[in-house]
Amino acid sequence: MTKVPYEPEELVKLALKAKESAYVPYSGFHVGAALVGDDDNIYTGCNIENSSYGATICAERTAVVKAVSNGARKIKAIAVASDHEISTIPCGICLQVLSEFCQRDTLVYLSNHKGEYKACTFEEVFPYSFKLNNDI
Ligand SMILES: [Zn+2]
């Protein structure tokens, strides 16, 4: 947990650094995430695989769990990075979890392995999520 004024490039760098801690003996696919909570702390996460594949947790959800368990309730921005040459997009489960804490205009930085990223709003990445009070 680091309290710093965030810049997109810094958040992407932290996501790239977080992926170095990934525990991925099965896929070998390293993913890192870094988010800014409404407490202005930065939380990072990596993917952690399990031999019971369904018990695997993605980097984005690891970062969300760390943020929320420390008291954060909103995500101001999030960066995701992986080993891929193309930008990494969160999986469906992570998008649904992120939708609980992101606003439509929350910035999402989707990075490749070099730190080259696309900036999107959360709504662009995930326009419709499950909500108990959906009104589309
Ligand atoms: Zn995921």
Side-chain angles (χ1 to χ4, degrees):
M1 180 166 66
T2 310
K3 199 168 221 167
V4 294
Y6 101 90
E7 294 293 334
E9 291 77 14
E10 180 67 21
L11 213 52
V12 167
K13 277 185 195 168
L14 290 169
L16 286 165
K17 183 168 173 40
K19 82 179 176 71
E20 294 172 11
S21 298
Y23 176 75
V24 289
Y26 307 104
S27 73
F29 187 67
H30 301 76
V31 184
L35 67 82
V36 182
D38 57 354
D39 56 1
D40 290 326
N41 286 315
I42 293 178
Y43 300 92
T44 60
C46 62
N47 51 335
I48 303 167
E49 294 181 344
N50 190 278
S51 60
S52 174
Y53 295 164
T56 294
I57 187 167
C58 300
E60 301 91 319
R61 282 180 286 141
T62 301
V64 168
V65 166
K66 289 167 73 176
V68 173
S69 62
N70 276 285
R73 288 296 180 265
K74 299 277 184 212
I75 295 172
K76 290 183 170 180
I78 182 168
V80 183
S82 77
D83 294 335
H84 252 297
E85 294 177 7
I86 58 173
S87 295
T88 306
I89 298 174
C91 77
I93 296 172
C94 286
L95 288 171
Q96 179 60 39
V97 170
L98 287 167
S99 75
E100 190 78 20
F101 305 102
C102 289
Q103 307 298 305
R104 291 173 188 255
D105 61 352
T106 298
L107 289 169
V108 180
Y109 304 105
L110 305 171
S111 177
N112 67 10
H113 69 292
K114 293 180 184 172
E116 299 162 341
Y117 65 90
K118 295 178 184 173
C120 311
T121 63
F122 186 72
E123 184 175 31
E124 289 172 323
V125 179
F126 196 46
Y128 301 105
S129 62
F130 173 81
K131 300 259 187 214
L132 291 176
N133 58 353
N134 257 350
D135 182 23
I136 58 173

Coordinates of all heavy atoms in Angstrom, one line a residue, residues 33-109:
A33 N -1.9 -5.8 -11.5 CA -2.9 -4.7 -11.4 C -2.5 -3.7 -10.3 O -1.9 -4.1 -9.4 CB -4.3 -5.3 -11.2
A34 N -2.8 -2.5 -10.6 CA -2.6 -1.4 -9.6 C -3.8 -0.5 -9.6 O -4.2 -0.1 -10.7 CB -1.3 -0.7 -9.8
L35 N -4.4 -0.2 -8.5 CA -5.5 0.6 -8.5 C -5.4 1.7 -7.4 O -4.6 1.6 -6.4 CB -6.8 -0.2 -8.2 CG -7.1 -0.8 -6.9 CD1 -7.6 0.1 -5.8 CD2 -8.0 -2.0 -7.1
V36 N -6.1 2.8 -7.6 CA -6.1 3.9 -6.7 C -7.5 3.9 -6.0 O -8.5 3.9 -6.7 CB -5.9 5.3 -7.3 CG1 -5.9 6.4 -6.3 CG2 -4.6 5.3 -8.2
G37 N -7.5 3.7 -4.7 CA -8.7 3.7 -3.9 C -9.2 5.1 -3.6 O -8.4 6.1 -3.7
D38 N -10.4 5.2 -3.0 CA -10.9 6.5 -2.6 C -10.2 7.0 -1.4 O -10.5 8.1 -0.9 CB -12.4 6.5 -2.5 CG -12.9 5.4 -1.5 OD1 -12.1 4.6 -1.0 OD2 -14.1 5.4 -1.2
D39 N -9.3 6.2 -0.8 CA -8.5 6.6 0.3 C -7.2 7.2 -0.1 O -6.3 7.4 0.6 CB -8.3 5.5 1.3 CG -7.7 4.2 0.7 OD1 -7.4 4.3 -0.6 OD2 -7.5 3.2 1.4
D40 N -7.0 7.3 -1.5 CA -5.8 7.8 -2.1 C -4.6 6.8 -1.9 O -3.5 7.2 -2.2 CB -5.5 9.2 -1.7 CG -6.4 10.2 -2.3 OD1 -6.9 9.9 -3.4 OD2 -6.7 11.2 -1.6
N41 N -4.9 5.6 -1.5 CA -3.8 4.6 -1.5 C -3.8 3.8 -2.8 O -4.8 3.7 -3.4 CB -4.0 3.7 -0.3 CG -3.6 4.3 1.0 OD1 -2.6 5.0 1.1 ND2 -4.5 4.1 2.0
I42 N -2.6 3.3 -3.1 CA -2.5 2.5 -4.3 C -2.4 1.0 -3.8 O -1.6 0.8 -2.9 CB -1.3 2.9 -5.2 CG1 -1.6 4.2 -5.8 CG2 -1.0 1.8 -6.2 CD1 -0.4 4.8 -6.6
Y43 N -3.2 0.2 -4.4 CA -3.2 -1.2 -4.0 C -2.8 -2.0 -5.3 O -3.3 -1.8 -6.4 CB -4.5 -1.7 -3.6 CG -5.0 -1.0 -2.3 CD1 -5.7 0.2 -2.4 CD2 -4.6 -1.4 -1.1 CE1 -6.2 0.9 -1.3 CE2 -5.0 -0.7 0.1 CZ -5.8 0.4 0.0 OH -6.2 1.1 1.1
T44 N -1.9 -3.0 -5.1 CA -1.5 -3.8 -6.3 C -1.9 -5.2 -6.0 O -2.2 -5.7 -4.9 CB 0.0 -3.7 -6.5 OG1 0.7 -4.2 -5.3 CG2 0.5 -2.3 -6.7
G45 N -1.9 -6.0 -7.1 CA -2.3 -7.4 -7.0 C -1.7 -8.1 -8.2 O -1.3 -7.6 -9.2
C46 N -1.5 -9.4 -8.0 CA -1.1 -10.3 -9.1 C -2.0 -11.5 -9.2 O -2.8 -11.7 -8.2 CB 0.4 -10.8 -8.8 SG 0.5 -11.7 -7.3
N47 N -1.9 -12.3 -10.2 CA -2.8 -13.5 -10.3 C -2.1 -14.6 -9.5 O -0.9 -14.7 -9.5 CB -3.1 -13.9 -11.7 CG -1.9 -14.0 -12.6 OD1 -0.9 -13.3 -12.4 ND2 -2.0 -14.8 -13.7
I48 N -2.9 -15.4 -8.9 CA -2.5 -16.5 -8.0 C -3.2 -17.7 -8.4 O -4.4 -17.8 -8.1 CB -2.7 -16.1 -6.5 CG1 -2.0 -14.8 -6.1 CG2 -2.2 -17.3 -5.6 CD1 -2.4 -14.2 -4.8
E49 N -2.5 -18.6 -9.1 CA -3.2 -19.8 -9.5 C -3.2 -20.9 -8.5 O -2.5 -20.8 -7.5 CB -2.5 -20.4 -10.8 CG -2.6 -19.4 -12.0 CD -2.0 -19.9 -13.2 OE1 -1.1 -20.8 -13.2 OE2 -2.3 -19.3 -14.3
N50 N -4.1 -21.9 -8.7 CA -4.2 -23.0 -7.7 C -4.4 -24.3 -8.5 O -5.0 -24.2 -9.6 CB -5.5 -22.7 -6.9 CG -5.5 -23.7 -5.7 OD1 -6.0 -24.8 -5.9 ND2 -5.1 -23.3 -4.6
S51 N -4.0 -25.4 -8.0 CA -4.1 -26.7 -8.7 C -5.6 -27.0 -8.9 O -6.0 -27.8 -9.8 CB -3.4 -27.8 -8.0 OG -3.9 -28.0 -6.7
S52 N -6.4 -26.5 -8.0 CA -7.9 -26.6 -8.3 C -8.2 -25.3 -9.0 O -8.4 -24.2 -8.4 CB -8.6 -26.6 -6.9 OG -10.0 -26.5 -7.2
Y53 N -8.2 -25.3 -10.3 CA -8.2 -24.1 -11.2 C -9.2 -23.1 -10.8 O -9.0 -21.9 -10.8 CB -8.4 -24.5 -12.6 CG -7.3 -25.3 -13.2 CD1 -7.4 -25.9 -14.5 CD2 -6.0 -25.4 -12.6 CE1 -6.4 -26.7 -15.0 CE2 -5.0 -26.1 -13.2 CZ -5.2 -26.8 -14.4 OH -4.2 -27.5 -14.9
G54 N -10.4 -23.5 -10.3 CA -11.5 -22.6 -9.9 C -11.1 -21.7 -8.7 O -11.7 -20.7 -8.5
A55 N -10.1 -22.1 -8.0 CA -9.7 -21.4 -6.8 C -8.7 -20.3 -7.2 O -8.2 -19.5 -6.3 CB -9.1 -22.3 -5.8
T56 N -8.3 -20.2 -8.5 CA -7.4 -19.2 -8.9 C -8.1 -17.8 -8.8 O -9.3 -17.6 -9.0 CB -7.1 -19.5 -10.4 OG1 -6.3 -20.7 -10.5 CG2 -6.3 -18.3 -11.0
I57 N -7.2 -16.8 -8.5 CA -7.7 -15.4 -8.4 C -6.9 -14.6 -9.3 O -5.7 -14.7 -9.4 CB -7.8 -14.9 -6.9 CG1 -8.4 -13.5 -6.9 CG2 -6.4 -14.8 -6.3 CD1 -8.8 -13.0 -5.5
C58 N -7.5 -13.7 -10.0 CA -6.9 -12.8 -11.0 C -6.2 -11.6 -10.2 O -6.6 -11.3 -9.1 CB -7.9 -12.2 -12.0 SG -8.7 -13.5 -13.0
A59 N -5.3 -10.9 -10.9 CA -4.6 -9.8 -10.4 C -5.6 -8.7 -10.0 O -5.4 -8.0 -8.9 CB -3.6 -9.3 -11.4
E60 N -6.6 -8.4 -10.8 CA -7.5 -7.3 -10.6 C -8.3 -7.6 -9.3 O -8.4 -6.7 -8.4 CB -8.5 -7.2 -11.7 CG -7.9 -6.9 -13.0 CD -7.6 -8.1 -13.8 OE1 -7.1 -9.2 -13.3 OE2 -7.8 -8.1 -15.1
R61 N -8.8 -8.8 -9.1 CA -9.5 -9.1 -7.9 C -8.6 -9.1 -6.7 O -9.1 -8.7 -5.6 CB -10.3 -10.4 -8.1 CG -11.6 -10.2 -8.9 CD -12.3 -11.5 -9.0 NE -11.7 -12.4 -10.0 CZ -11.6 -13.7 -9.9 NH1 -12.1 -14.3 -8.8 NH2 -10.9 -14.4 -10.8
T62 N -7.4 -9.5 -6.8 CA -6.4 -9.5 -5.7 C -6.3 -8.0 -5.2 O -6.3 -7.8 -4.0 CB -5.1 -10.1 -6.1 OG1 -5.2 -11.4 -6.5 CG2 -4.1 -10.0 -4.9
A63 N -6.1 -7.1 -6.2 CA -6.0 -5.7 -5.8 C -7.3 -5.2 -5.2 O -7.2 -4.4 -4.2 CB -5.6 -4.9 -7.0
V64 N -8.4 -5.6 -5.7 CA -9.7 -5.1 -5.1 C -9.8 -5.6 -3.7 O -10.2 -4.9 -2.8 CB -10.9 -5.5 -6.0 CG1 -12.2 -5.3 -5.3 CG2 -10.9 -4.8 -7.3
V65 N -9.5 -6.9 -3.5 CA -9.6 -7.5 -2.1 C -8.7 -6.7 -1.1 O -9.1 -6.4 0.0 CB -9.3 -9.0 -2.2 CG1 -9.1 -9.6 -0.8 CG2 -10.4 -9.7 -2.9
K66 N -7.5 -6.4 -1.6 CA -6.6 -5.7 -0.7 C -7.2 -4.3 -0.4 O -7.1 -3.8 0.8 CB -5.2 -5.6 -1.3 CG -4.5 -6.9 -1.4 CD -3.3 -6.9 -2.3 CE -2.1 -6.1 -1.7 NZ -0.9 -6.3 -2.6
A67 N -7.7 -3.6 -1.4 CA -8.2 -2.2 -1.2 C -9.4 -2.2 -0.3 O -9.5 -1.5 0.7 CB -8.6 -1.6 -2.6
V68 N -10.4 -3.1 -0.6 CA -11.6 -3.1 0.2 C -11.4 -3.5 1.6 O -11.9 -3.0 2.5 CB -12.7 -3.9 -0.5 CG1 -14.0 -4.1 0.3 CG2 -13.1 -3.3 -1.9
S69 N -10.5 -4.5 1.8 CA -10.2 -5.0 3.1 C -9.5 -4.0 4.0 O -9.4 -4.1 5.2 CB -9.5 -6.3 3.1 OG -8.3 -6.2 2.5
N70 N -8.9 -3.0 3.3 CA -8.2 -1.9 4.0 C -9.2 -0.7 4.1 O -8.7 0.4 4.6 CB -6.9 -1.5 3.3 CG -5.8 -2.4 3.7 OD1 -5.3 -2.2 4.8 ND2 -5.4 -3.3 2.9
G71 N -10.4 -0.8 3.7 CA -11.4 0.3 3.9 C -11.8 1.1 2.7 O -12.7 1.9 2.8
A72 N -11.1 0.9 1.6 CA -11.5 1.6 0.4 C -12.8 1.1 -0.1 O -13.2 0.0 0.1 CB -10.4 1.5 -0.7
R73 N -13.6 2.0 -0.7 CA -14.9 1.6 -1.2 C -15.2 2.0 -2.6 O -16.2 1.6 -3.2 CB -16.0 2.2 -0.3 CG -16.1 1.6 1.1 CD -16.5 0.1 0.9 NE -16.7 -0.6 2.2 CZ -15.7 -1.3 2.8 NH1 -14.5 -1.4 2.1 NH2 -15.8 -1.9 3.9
K74 N -14.3 2.8 -3.2 CA -14.4 3.2 -4.6 C -13.0 3.1 -5.2 O -12.0 3.3 -4.5 CB -14.8 4.7 -4.7 CG -16.2 5.0 -4.1 CD -17.3 4.6 -5.1 CE -18.6 5.0 -4.5 NZ -19.7 4.1 -4.9
I75 N -13.0 2.9 -6.5 CA -11.8 2.8 -7.3 C -11.7 4.0 -8.1 O -12.7 4.3 -8.9 CB -11.7 1.5 -8.1 CG1 -11.7 0.3 -7.2 CG2 -10.5 1.6 -9.1 CD1 -11.8 -1.0 -8.0
K76 N -10.7 4.8 -8.0 CA -10.5 6.0 -8.8 C -9.9 5.7 -10.2 O -10.2 6.4 -11.1 CB -9.6 7.0 -8.1 CG -10.2 7.7 -6.8 CD -9.2 8.7 -6.3 CE -9.9 9.5 -5.2 NZ -8.9 10.5 -4.6
A77 N -9.0 4.8 -10.2 CA -8.4 4.4 -11.5 C -7.8 3.0 -11.3 O -7.4 2.6 -10.1 CB -7.3 5.4 -11.9
I78 N -7.6 2.3 -12.4 CA -6.9 1.0 -12.3 C -6.1 0.7 -13.5 O -6.5 1.1 -14.6 CB -8.0 -0.2 -12.0 CG1 -7.2 -1.5 -11.9 CG2 -9.0 -0.2 -13.1 CD1 -8.1 -2.7 -11.4
A79 N -5.0 0.1 -13.4 CA -4.1 -0.3 -14.5 C -3.9 -1.8 -14.4 O -3.8 -2.4 -13.3 CB -2.7 0.4 -14.4
V80 N -3.9 -2.4 -15.6 CA -3.8 -3.9 -15.7 C -2.7 -4.1 -16.7 O -2.7 -3.5 -17.8 CB -5.1 -4.6 -16.1 CG1 -4.9 -6.1 -16.2 CG2 -6.2 -4.2 -15.2
A81 N -1.7 -5.0 -16.4 CA -0.7 -5.3 -17.3 C -0.4 -6.8 -17.3 O -0.6 -7.5 -16.3 CB 0.6 -4.6 -17.0
S82 N 0.1 -7.3 -18.4 CA 0.5 -8.8 -18.5 C 1.7 -9.0 -19.4 O 2.3 -8.0 -19.8 CB -0.7 -9.6 -19.1 OG -0.8 -9.4 -20.4
D83 N 2.0 -10.3 -19.6 CA 3.1 -10.6 -20.5 C 2.8 -10.4 -22.0 O 3.7 -10.6 -22.8 CB 3.5 -12.1 -20.3 CG 4.0 -12.4 -18.9 OD1 4.5 -11.4 -18.3 OD2 3.9 -13.5 -18.5
H84 N 1.5 -10.1 -22.3 CA 1.1 -10.0 -23.7 C 1.7 -8.8 -24.4 O 2.0 -7.8 -23.8 CB -0.4 -9.9 -23.7 CG -1.1 -11.1 -24.2 ND1 -1.0 -11.6 -25.5 CD2 -2.0 -11.9 -23.6 CE1 -1.7 -12.7 -25.6 NE2 -2.4 -12.9 -24.5
E85 N 1.8 -9.0 -25.7 CA 2.2 -7.9 -26.6 C 1.0 -6.9 -26.8 O 1.2 -5.8 -27.3 CB 2.7 -8.4 -27.9 CG 4.0 -9.2 -27.7 CD 4.5 -9.8 -29.0 OE1 3.9 -9.5 -30.1 OE2 5.5 -10.5 -29.0
I86 N -0.2 -7.4 -26.6 CA -1.4 -6.5 -26.7 C -1.9 -6.2 -25.4 O -1.6 -6.8 -24.4 CB -2.5 -7.2 -27.6 CG1 -2.9 -8.5 -26.9 CG2 -2.0 -7.4 -29.0 CD1 -4.1 -9.2 -27.6
S87 N -2.7 -5.1 -25.3 CA -3.2 -4.7 -24.0 C -4.1 -5.8 -23.3 O -4.8 -6.5 -24.0 CB -4.2 -3.5 -24.2 OG -3.4 -2.4 -24.7
T88 N -3.9 -5.8 -22.0 CA -4.6 -6.8 -21.2 C -6.0 -6.3 -20.8 O -6.1 -5.2 -20.3 CB -3.8 -7.2 -20.0 OG1 -2.5 -7.5 -20.4 CG2 -4.5 -8.3 -19.2
I89 N -7.0 -7.1 -21.0 CA -8.4 -6.7 -20.7 C -8.8 -7.6 -19.5 O -8.6 -8.8 -19.6 CB -9.3 -6.8 -21.9 CG1 -8.9 -5.8 -23.0 CG2 -10.8 -6.5 -21.5 CD1 -9.6 -5.9 -24.3
P90 N -9.4 -7.1 -18.5 CA -9.9 -7.9 -17.4 C -10.9 -9.0 -17.9 O -11.7 -8.7 -18.8 CB -10.5 -7.0 -16.4 CG -9.9 -5.6 -16.7 CD -9.6 -5.7 -18.2
C91 N -10.9 -10.1 -17.2 CA -11.9 -11.2 -17.6 C -13.3 -10.8 -17.1 O -13.4 -9.8 -16.3 CB -11.4 -12.5 -17.0 SG -11.8 -12.7 -15.2
G92 N -14.2 -11.5 -17.5 CA -15.6 -11.2 -17.1 C -15.9 -11.2 -15.6 O -16.6 -10.3 -15.1
I93 N -15.3 -12.1 -14.9 CA -15.5 -12.1 -13.4 C -14.9 -10.9 -12.8 O -15.5 -10.2 -12.0 CB -14.9 -13.4 -12.8 CG1 -15.6 -14.6 -13.3 CG2 -15.0 -13.3 -11.3 CD1 -14.9 -15.9 -12.9
C94 N -13.7 -10.5 -13.2 CA -13.1 -9.3 -12.7 C -13.9 -8.0 -13.0 O -14.0 -7.1 -12.2 CB -11.6 -9.2 -13.2 SG -10.5 -10.3 -12.4
L95 N -14.4 -8.0 -14.3 CA -15.2 -6.8 -14.7 C -16.4 -6.7 -13.8 O -16.8 -5.6 -13.3 CB -15.6 -6.9 -16.1 CG -14.5 -6.7 -17.1 CD1 -14.9 -7.0 -18.5 CD2 -13.9 -5.2 -17.1
Q96 N -17.1 -7.8 -13.5 CA -18.2 -7.8 -12.6 C -17.8 -7.3 -11.2 O -18.5 -6.5 -10.6 CB -18.9 -9.1 -12.5 CG -20.1 -9.2 -11.6 CD -21.2 -8.2 -12.0 OE1 -21.5 -8.0 -13.2 NE2 -21.9 -7.5 -11.1
V97 N -16.7 -7.8 -10.7 CA -16.3 -7.4 -9.3 C -15.9 -5.9 -9.4 O -16.3 -5.1 -8.5 CB -15.1 -8.3 -8.9 CG1 -14.4 -7.7 -7.6 CG2 -15.6 -9.7 -8.6
L98 N -15.2 -5.5 -10.4 CA -14.8 -4.1 -10.5 C -16.0 -3.2 -10.6 O -16.0 -2.0 -10.1 CB -13.9 -3.8 -11.7 CG -12.5 -4.4 -11.6 CD1 -11.8 -4.4 -13.0 CD2 -11.7 -3.6 -10.6
S99 N -17.1 -3.6 -11.2 CA -18.3 -2.8 -11.4 C -18.9 -2.4 -10.0 O -19.6 -1.4 -10.0 CB -19.3 -3.5 -12.3 OG -20.0 -4.6 -11.5
E100 N -18.6 -3.2 -9.0 CA -19.1 -2.9 -7.7 C -18.5 -1.6 -7.1 O -19.1 -0.9 -6.3 CB -18.9 -4.1 -6.8 CG -19.5 -4.0 -5.4 CD -21.0 -4.4 -5.5 OE1 -21.5 -5.0 -6.5 OE2 -21.8 -4.0 -4.6
F101 N -17.2 -1.3 -7.5 CA -16.5 -0.3 -6.9 C -16.0 0.8 -7.9 O -15.5 1.8 -7.5 CB -15.2 -0.9 -6.2 CG -15.6 -1.9 -5.3 CD1 -15.4 -3.3 -5.6 CD2 -16.1 -1.6 -4.0 CE1 -15.8 -4.3 -4.7 CE2 -16.5 -2.6 -3.1 CZ -16.3 -3.9 -3.4
C102 N -16.2 0.6 -9.2 CA -15.9 1.6 -10.2 C -17.1 2.5 -10.6 O -18.3 2.0 -10.5 CB -15.4 1.0 -11.5 SG -13.7 0.3 -11.3
Q103 N -16.9 3.7 -11.0 CA -17.9 4.5 -11.6 C -17.8 4.4 -13.1 O -16.9 3.9 -13.6 CB -17.7 6.0 -11.2 CG -17.6 6.2 -9.7 CD -18.8 5.8 -8.9 OE1 -19.9 6.3 -9.2 NE2 -18.7 4.9 -8.0
R104 N -18.9 4.9 -13.8 CA -18.8 4.8 -15.2 C -17.6 5.5 -15.8 O -17.0 5.1 -16.8 CB -20.1 5.4 -15.8 CG -21.3 4.7 -15.6 CD -22.6 5.4 -16.0 NE -23.8 4.8 -15.6 CZ -24.5 4.1 -16.5 NH1 -24.2 4.0 -17.7 NH2 -25.6 3.5 -16.0
D105 N -17.1 6.6 -15.1 CA -16.0 7.4 -15.7 C -14.7 7.0 -15.0 O -13.7 7.7 -15.2 CB -16.3 8.9 -15.5 CG -16.5 9.3 -14.1 OD1 -16.6 8.4 -13.2 OD2 -16.5 10.5 -13.8
T106 N -14.7 5.9 -14.2 CA -13.4 5.5 -13.6 C -12.4 5.2 -14.8 O -12.8 4.5 -15.7 CB -13.6 4.2 -12.8 OG1 -14.5 4.6 -11.7 CG2 -12.3 3.7 -12.2
L107 N -11.2 5.7 -14.7 CA -10.2 5.4 -15.8 C -9.6 4.0 -15.6 O -9.2 3.6 -14.5 CB -9.2 6.5 -15.8 CG -9.7 7.8 -16.3 CD1 -8.7 9.0 -16.0 CD2 -10.1 7.8 -17.8
V108 N -9.5 3.4 -16.7 CA -8.9 2.0 -16.8 C -7.7 2.1 -17.8 O -7.9 2.5 -18.9 CB -9.9 1.0 -17.2 CG1 -9.3 -0.4 -17.3 CG2 -11.2 1.0 -16.3
Y109 N -6.6 1.7 -17.4 CA -5.4 1.7 -18.2 C -5.0 0.2 -18.5 O -4.7 -0.5 -17.7 CB -4.2 2.4 -17.5 CG -4.6 3.8 -17.1 CD1 -4.8 4.1 -15.8 CD2 -4.7 4.8 -18.0 CE1 -5.2 5.4 -15.3 CE2 -5.1 6.1 -17.6 CZ -5.3 6.4 -16.3 OH -5.7 7.6 -15.9

